[in-house]
């Protein structure tokens, strides 16, 4: 399936497939969507493990009762989407930046996966404000990963971090005072770790809860195991306790059946969206419905199977995406592509994803994280692994 094109107009699992060849699509071009959104499923979709279906379902299979050539539902016209333009560099000469957090005063905090350091950037200067030494000893895709600050940071200055320790992946919180981080306090431990698929994205939702995207740690069975924290989206109170309105009483699990969650963000209606790495096929943008199952490792993408929520956007070839960090501004998702080396712009409306558009194709290398800057534009962390990484600015017009 890698790199294949799918006949236009085929409808699969309630999603329209409009795949075009993406190789060489130019920045700002209207790259054809891979799968285009379906109506949001109702909360409470079955969380039973998906029936065995082998690897990714074929995207070219026609769903029963549908016809090829069917009209595509309207989506945002790329001609009227906000323009995205490079607007200079915020920070240069970085190692392996993984996550950006913006403080109320406009300063940035960013993590370095390999050194375990948290750095503050403001007024053209950078200062290391703290470190998690255990994270520097992690191998593979582990290390210091996500950072997050809550909406009440001005009154309660605490920084949250997700990192790989000697024993597990875990979330900690640290007081932030006089531009320095205090000692870490465990919020959640016991998230499976591995050389690959450590997840790592954390974010505070509009409900004030802490959301945590985890990976299966290289063991797909973790994703369907209700006793494992791997391959899930988790939801906690800021102190690490389990909210009483979680889907399963006493459990931090918000959704399951994920391979490796990399981005978390909310639209204007407070719906949660998540990006996720596929294997060698089927990278995903998902609408996360509490208590739902996203099918890994039995299925990927949008197979239209009972009990499994289809992805809203699927990139059949990971060469065009490998979607990582994401932010949503005015119901427009902006997603960094690692292997794809481009910024994806996806309009969202009514719980549906519209036609993706790509920018910066190959211009800045691998893009690891995307955050909303204090001026309403984008901050994008690159991932060059050679000391040439940076955080760049992108203006929205």
């Amino acid at each position: 399936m890698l790199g294949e094109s799918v006949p236009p107009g085929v409808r699969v699992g309630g999603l329209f497939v409009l795949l075009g060849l993406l190789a060489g699509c130019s920045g700002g071009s209207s790259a054809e969507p891979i799968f285009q959104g379906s109506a949001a499923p109702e909360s409470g979709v079955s969380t039973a493990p998906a029936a065995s279906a082998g690897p990714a379902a074929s995207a070219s299979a026609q769903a029963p009762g549908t016809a090829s050539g069917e009209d595509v539902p309207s989506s945002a016209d790329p001609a009227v989407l906000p323009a995205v333009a490079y607007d200079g560099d915020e920070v240069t000469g970085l190692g392996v930046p993984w996550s950006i957090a913006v403080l109320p005063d406009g300063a940035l905090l960013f993590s370095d996966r390999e050194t375990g350091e948290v750095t503050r950037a403001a007024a053209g200067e950078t200062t290391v404000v703290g470190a998690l030494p255990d994270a520097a000893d992690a191998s593979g895709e582990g290390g210091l990963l996500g950072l997050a600050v809550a909406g009440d940071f001005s009154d309660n200055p605490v920084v949250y971090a997700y990192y790989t320790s000697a024993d597990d992946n875990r979330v900690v919180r640290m007081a932030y005072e006089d531009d320095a981080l205090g000692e870490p306090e465990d919020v959640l431990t016991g998230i499976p770790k591995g050389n690959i698929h450590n997840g790592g994205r954390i974010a505070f939702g509009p409900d004030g809860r802490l959301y945590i995207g985890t990976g299966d740690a290289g063991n797909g069975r973790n994703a369907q195991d209700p006793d494992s924290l791997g391959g899930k989206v988790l939801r906690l109170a800021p102190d690490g306790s389990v909210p009483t309105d979680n889907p399963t009483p006493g459990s931090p699990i918000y959704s399951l059946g994920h391979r490796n969650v990399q981005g978390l963000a909310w639209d204007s209606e407070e719906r949660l969206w998540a990006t996720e790495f596929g294997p060698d096929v089927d990278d995903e943008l998902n609408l996360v419905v509490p208590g739902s199952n996203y099918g890994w490792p039995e299925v990927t993408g949008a197979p239209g199977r009972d009990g499994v929520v289809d992805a809203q956007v699927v990139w059949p070839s990971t060469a065009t995406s490998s979607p990582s960090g994401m932010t949503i501004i005015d119901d427009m998702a902006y997603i960094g592509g690692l292997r794809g080396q481009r910024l994806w712009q996806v309009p969202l409306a009514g719980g549906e994803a519209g036609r993706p558009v790509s920018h910066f194709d190959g211009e800045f290398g691998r893009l690891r994280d995307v955050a909303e800057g204090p001026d309403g534009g984008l901050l994008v962390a690159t991932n060059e692994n050679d000391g040439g990484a940076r955080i760049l600015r992108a203006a929205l017009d």
Side-chain angles (χ1 to χ4, degrees):
M1 186 170 178
L2 185 63
E4 291 181 356
S5 81
V6 178
V10 176
R11 180 170 172 144
V12 180
L15 304 184
F16 284 87
V17 182
L18 302 177
L19 175 62
L21 295 177
L22 291 174
C25 65
S26 60
S29 65
S30 176
E32 290 294 336
I34 310 312
F35 286 75
Q36 190 159 301
S38 66
E42 295 296 328
S43 180
V45 172
S46 171
T47 60
S52 177
S58 169
S60 61
Q62 186 171 314
T66 62
S68 61
E70 191 170 354
D71 288 341
V72 177
S74 61
S75 62
D77 181 354
V80 299
L81 299 184
V84 180
Y86 170 64
D87 192 32
D89 293 335
E90 188 72 19
V91 191
T92 60
L94 303 182
V96 189
W98 206 93
S99 180
I100 304 168
V102 181
L103 301 183
D105 64 2
L108 313 182
L109 296 180
F110 58 89
S111 60
D112 187 292
R113 191 190 73 199
E114 293 189 349
T115 66
E117 293 178 339
V118 179
T119 300
R120 178 180 184 268
E125 297 185 357
T126 59
T127 307
V128 175
V129 297
L132 291 161
D134 285 358
D137 297 330
S139 60
E141 296 174 0
L144 176 55
L145 304 175
L147 297 178
V149 296
D152 65 349
F153 182 87
S154 296
D155 298 322
N156 183 29
V158 177
V159 175
Y160 289 73
Y162 183 119
Y163 79 98
T164 310
S165 76
D167 302 314
D168 57 9
N169 284 302
R170 58 182 54 194
V171 178
V172 298
R173 60 181 181 180
M174 298 162 284
Y176 184 81
E177 184 176 0
D178 297 328
D179 294 331
L181 292 173
E183 290 298 312
E185 173 189 350
D186 289 340
V187 174
L188 181 66
T189 62
I191 302 168
K193 76 167 196 172
N195 197 52
I196 57 174
H197 304 177
N198 287 291
R201 196 66 62 187
I202 56 177
F204 279 92
D207 57 2
R209 303 307 192 187
L210 177 64
Y211 291 76
I212 303 165
T214 72
D216 68 8
N219 179 355
R221 292 188 299 272
N222 286 333
Q224 295 292 332
D225 184 352
D227 294 323
S228 172
L229 299 178
K232 311 292 193 302
V233 173
L234 309 175
R235 179 177 183 259
L236 294 174
D239 64 0
S241 61
V242 175
T244 58
D245 58 347
N246 269 15
T248 301
S251 172
I253 296 174
Y254 192 70
S255 62
L256 74 160
H258 298 283
R259 183 174 182 269
N260 196 11
V261 177
Q262 293 288 295
L264 299 169
W266 287 261
D267 65 22
S268 64
E269 296 299 319
E270 302 186 355
R271 288 177 284 248
L272 173 60
W273 296 79
T275 59
E276 185 168 342
F277 288 161
D280 57 349
V281 295
D282 292 353
D283 289 331
E284 299 176 356
L285 173 62
N286 285 301
L287 176 65
V288 180
V289 179
S292 293
N293 190 333
Y294 289 78
W296 178 257
E298 300 298 338
V299 298
T300 61
R305 292 188 176 274
D306 290 343
V308 174
V309 178
D310 282 344
Q312 288 270 324
V313 176
V314 179
W315 290 266
S317 170
T318 59
T320 63
S321 189
S322 296
S324 190
M326 167 177 60
T327 192
I328 297 174
I329 302 174
D330 295 332
D331 285 334
M332 199 70 57
Y334 298 92
I335 303 166
L338 285 168
R339 188 178 173 202
Q341 298 189 15
R342 65 194 73 186
L343 178 75
W344 285 101
Q345 180 184 34
V346 184
L348 309 173
E352 296 186 8
R355 186 186 304 275
V357 175
S358 68
H359 302 271
F360 305 148
D361 299 15
E363 291 183 45
F364 302 109
R366 293 159 54 87
L367 306 184
R368 170 65 73 180
D369 195 19
V370 185
E372 182 176 2
D375 62 355
L378 302 178
L379 295 165
V380 182
T382 73
N383 183 210
E384 293 305 286
N385 297 320
D386 61 0
R390 60 179 130 170
I391 297 174
L392 61 87
R393 297 186 302 274
L396 303 178
D397 223 349

